[in-house]
Amino acid sequence: MIQPPYLKAGDKVALVSPAYWVPQEALQMAAEVIKSWGLQPVIGPNTNNLNVNAYAGTADERAADLLWALEDDSIKAVICSRGGYGSIHLLGRIPQETFLQHPKWLIGHGDIAMLLYAATGAGLMSIHGPMAFQIASCQEPASSLTRNILFGNLPQFIVPGNPYNRCGHAEGILIGGNLSSYAVVAGTRFQLPPKQDIILFIEEVEESLHNIDRLFYMLTLQHDFERVRGIILGTFSSIRYDLQYGSVEQMLIAHLHQYEIPVCCGFPVGSNSCIPLIEGAPCSLDVTTENAMLGFNIKGSVQPYNVDIANPKLIKEKEL
């Protein structure tokens, strides 16, 4: 896996809209926050093109903005403005090798998980993190943690214990994201090369339990799941409980009894609390009865620090 270069003061960061439209005011507010990070924001030329009252332009216009941001070597990172739906339209319009030909950080989540998966399948790390509309409102601690990662200051996350956790140690390439988006592309031609172990993370919003059940079973039947060595269950918000389970975690853990792998529940990654994760990075997951720890096994520019999710105090640690 190729790690994009970390950013330095004055670097350009592109704001693009591969899926749903957001008002230009939100992009301008995000640009101001990015300026406060010491970076130079540039906004995609088609981001204000509203198409069918939903998308940020036609599929060709959205693809053109993303290609511009990826191919311009003066741009060092690309932040997506919003998810929703529409990223799938771009998968056939963006040559997968483009990600590797111009390595840079691609940032987003939700529907953008499809593009992150394509980048990871090409062999490039990316950031599953807050999007422009969230950065505009300075959603914390996700925004500050994303800024830190971009500059090479890597977190190691400590998550409180959960009654549905399954203890153990796992190592692998971190991939995943929104279940509805990820399950569509998992196991397709965009997947990781064979024989690479995986730590899978998933989250979901505004879905029914029965649909989450179906999507999760799809993953277990697809080739990717054969390589899963550990699972991180993120946030599941605004879920419709049309099956008699007490929680999404209770349902999914019941489906995992045949797999002897560690499971971390309650990790704050999802639409409401998008703690940034480095997709495509080799990482280690340790789950005990007291807590779970996720660390990225890549070099940072400075010493990594622990982030206790229950008490987000930053504690300097030894260099990875």
Side-chain angles (χ1 to χ4, degrees):
M1 300 300 299
I2 300 299
Q3 178 182 333
Y6 294 123
L7 273 59
K8 60 183 185 300
D11 279 346
K12 286 184 182 179
V13 175
L15 300 175
V16 299
S17 300
Y20 277 178
W21 176 87
V22 296
Q24 287 293 293
E25 292 81 2
L27 292 180
Q28 292 294 344
M29 290 173 64
E32 290 302 315
V33 175
I34 292 166
K35 283 182 185 178
S36 74
W37 296 353
L39 301 169
Q40 181 182 349
V42 288
I43 297 176
N46 291 308
T47 53
N48 203 33
N49 294 349
L50 181 62
N51 176 249
V52 296
N53 204 35
Y55 306 122
T58 65
D60 286 340
E61 289 171 335
R62 286 177 279 131
D65 272 11
L66 183 55
L67 273 172
W68 155 75
L70 292 175
E71 293 179 342
D72 186 337
D73 290 331
S74 72
I75 293 173
K76 304 303 180 183
V78 183
I79 300 177
C80 299
S81 66
R82 184 184 171 188
Y85 179 71
S87 295
I88 195 169
H89 302 154
L90 277 59
L91 289 180
R93 290 174 165 85
I94 305 292
Q96 194 174 13
E97 60 270 18
T98 304
F99 294 105
L100 213 53
Q101 290 168 349
H102 307 271
K104 61 191 67 178
W105 296 103
L106 176 64
I107 306 164
H109 70 274
D111 186 65
I112 306 299
M114 293 185 176
L115 300 176
L116 302 184
Y117 186 73
T120 305
L124 183 70
M125 298 181 197
S126 58
I127 299 175
H128 182 280
M131 291 181 281
F133 82 96
Q134 294 162 316
I135 292 173
S137 62
C138 296
Q139 187 181 89
E140 295 294 359
S143 290
S144 293
L145 288 168
T146 301
R147 175 201 62 202
N148 287 356
I149 291 174
L150 287 174
F151 283 99
N153 195 2
L154 304 181
Q156 297 179 128
F157 295 111
I158 302 172
V159 184
N162 186 290
Y164 293 113
N165 278 359
R166 287 177 51 176
C167 299
H169 170 81
E171 296 184 6
I173 301 296
L174 185 67
I175 62 171
N178 175 263
L179 182 59
S180 296
S181 301
Y182 176 76
V184 172
V185 292
T188 66
R189 62 186 176 92
F190 298 101
Q191 68 180 336
L192 284 171
K195 299 181 181 178
Q196 286 184 303
D197 290 341
I198 288 169
I199 292 180
L200 172 68
F201 71 96
I202 58 172
E203 55 87 9
E204 191 52 90
V205 59
E206 296 180 353
E207 272 294 352
S208 64
L209 274 187
H210 87 268
N211 202 35
I212 292 174
D213 181 87
R214 176 171 60 241
L215 291 167
F216 193 76
Y217 260 96
M218 282 175 58
L219 289 184
T220 65
L221 295 171
Q222 288 165 332
H223 182 65
D224 269 345
F225 209 87
E226 297 175 5
R227 301 184 268 165
V228 174
R229 297 294 174 260
I231 292 180
I232 297 171
L233 299 181
T235 60
F236 297 90
S237 53
S238 302
I239 302 302
R240 299 189 299 277
Y241 282 81
D242 54 353
L243 297 175
Q244 290 187 346
Y245 287 99
S247 66
V248 176
E249 292 83 357
Q250 183 187 39
M251 179 179 72
L252 296 184
I253 288 294
H255 297 338
L256 289 169
H257 64 88
Q258 60 182 308
Y259 302 100
E260 296 182 359
I261 55 176
V263 180
C264 166
C265 298
F267 197 99
V269 58
S271 62
N272 295 330
S273 179
C274 196
I275 296 296
L277 299 177
I278 306 176
E279 279 211 56
C283 65
S284 57
L285 174 67
D286 290 281
V287 184
T288 69
T289 55
E290 292 81 20
N291 57 42
M293 176 176 280
L294 176 68
F296 303 105
N297 300 327
I298 58 177
K299 282 285 186 181
S301 62
V302 296
Q303 285 186 329
Y305 56 89
N306 281 352
V307 178
D308 188 337
I309 298 300
N311 180 23
K313 185 164 62 174
L314 308 184
I315 306 170
K316 295 239 175 175
E317 279 292 329
K318 64 182 181 178
E319 192 171 358
L320 285 173

